[in-house]
Amino acid sequence: MSVTSRYREAWEGFWREAPDEQGAVFWDAEPALTAGLHLALFEPQLLDPGLPLVDLGCGNGTQTRFLADRFPRVLGIDLSEAAVEHARHADPAGQAGYRVLDAAGKGEAESLHAELGDANVYVRGVLHQCEPEDRQPFVDGLAALLGERGRAFLVELSEDAKPVLMGLAQSPSGPPPKLAPVFRHGIAPGEVSDAAVPVLLGAAGLSVLASGELPLTTTEYTADGVRIELPSKWQVVGRTA
């Protein structure tokens, strides 16, 4: 199974339209407010920090480049070819590698695991945007990348984020400028219930090793100048003996 063509086309359209500048995309917050905070929670749970690190759903590579300063081999992968082009363009020094990969595609994650071996994986805000039929195959692909020794840091919008997003979208003045393209391209964030996530993980043979709550910081601000932060939950997952 692979992701639906509508989903793929939505992301291609979004990333083709997205500006090159860091921070121009709604969720493209600086690493000090995102991956930097996450690493403090993730690194103590790693069995082997020397494994390759995969940034799954890397987008334009902002977090990938940050992670590449801290791990020996980092690979950013994304469903969208346009996103990967952005990431490569923003990384002329080649700090990390980048490639197009459909984690929900039959055999694609398994093929990458055969190449890399077990990997640690960073996933920020991907599952909550997946369409229902793609969610379990995506998590199965994540499990394939981890193998036996890998660990994943999964941070996703909680279900409490959806009313916040809908309130922003339905504002009398319209959605904030950086949020508007998300809805215009038919991307539907915040669609996965909190209770569904551990079920999906368990079906893939993964266990939650640590969890908590941490706002997902965006690059957008309200009319009165307050940075928009969305409720989210994080989990460190892996296989247990």
Side-chain angles (χ1 to χ4, degrees):
M1 178 178 178
S2 62
V3 298
T4 62
S5 59
R6 190 214 66 80
Y7 182 71
R8 185 189 300 273
E9 289 164 5
W11 280 109
E12 283 295 343
F14 176 87
W15 282 113
R16 281 196 300 267
E17 180 184 293
D20 284 331
E21 295 78 16
Q22 183 177 324
V25 171
F26 182 67
W27 52 78
D28 191 29
E30 53 268 39
L33 300 176
T34 49
L37 298 179
H38 300 152
L39 279 186
L41 303 166
F42 188 28
E43 288 183 310
Q45 300 291 335
L46 296 177
L47 283 176
D48 185 352
L51 294 178
L53 180 74
V54 174
D55 184 5
L56 179 52
C58 68
N60 61 1
T62 298
Q63 313 307 319
T64 321
R65 295 189 298 278
F66 174 84
L67 295 167
D69 283 336
R70 288 149 181 84
F71 292 91
R73 182 182 181 186
V74 175
L75 177 66
I77 63 175
D78 202 281
L79 170 71
S80 165
E81 184 174 347
V84 170
E85 289 174 358
H86 275 288
R88 287 177 176 149
H89 182 259
D91 187 9
Q95 291 176 271
Y98 306 92
R99 70 178 68 175
V100 177
L101 186 138
D102 175 4
K106 186 174 178 58
E108 292 196 37
E110 289 83 354
S111 294
L112 183 57
H113 180 265
E115 174 187 337
L116 298 179
D118 290 358
N120 296 315
V121 182
Y122 179 70
V123 189
R124 175 175 172 258
V126 179
L127 181 60
H128 75 85
Q129 296 168 336
C130 290
E131 295 188 343
E133 59 267 41
D134 297 326
R135 292 170 192 162
Q136 190 63 61
F138 175 83
V139 176
D140 292 345
L142 169 63
L145 291 172
L146 296 179
E148 296 300 320
R149 294 183 55 77
R151 295 285 186 262
F153 187 86
L154 181 71
V155 57
E156 298 289 341
L157 293 185
S158 71
E159 57 192 38
D160 291 338
K162 187 171 183 179
V164 177
L165 287 164
M166 292 303 101
L168 293 168
Q170 295 164 7
S171 167
S173 58
K178 294 179 186 177
L179 181 58
V182 177
F183 292 108
R184 186 169 64 252
H185 287 283
I187 297 164
E191 290 297 316
V192 181
S193 72
D194 296 344
V197 176
V199 174
L200 293 166
L201 293 169
L206 300 176
S207 300
V208 176
L209 308 174
S211 63
E213 298 184 6
L214 193 68
L216 193 148
T217 303
T218 77
T219 62
E220 190 58 278
Y221 293 80
T222 63
D224 54 2
V226 177
R227 189 193 285 259
I228 296 171
E229 294 184 333
L230 301 173
S232 74
K233 296 180 181 291
W234 62 266
Q235 300 176 82
V236 176
V237 304
R239 299 187 192 276
T240 56

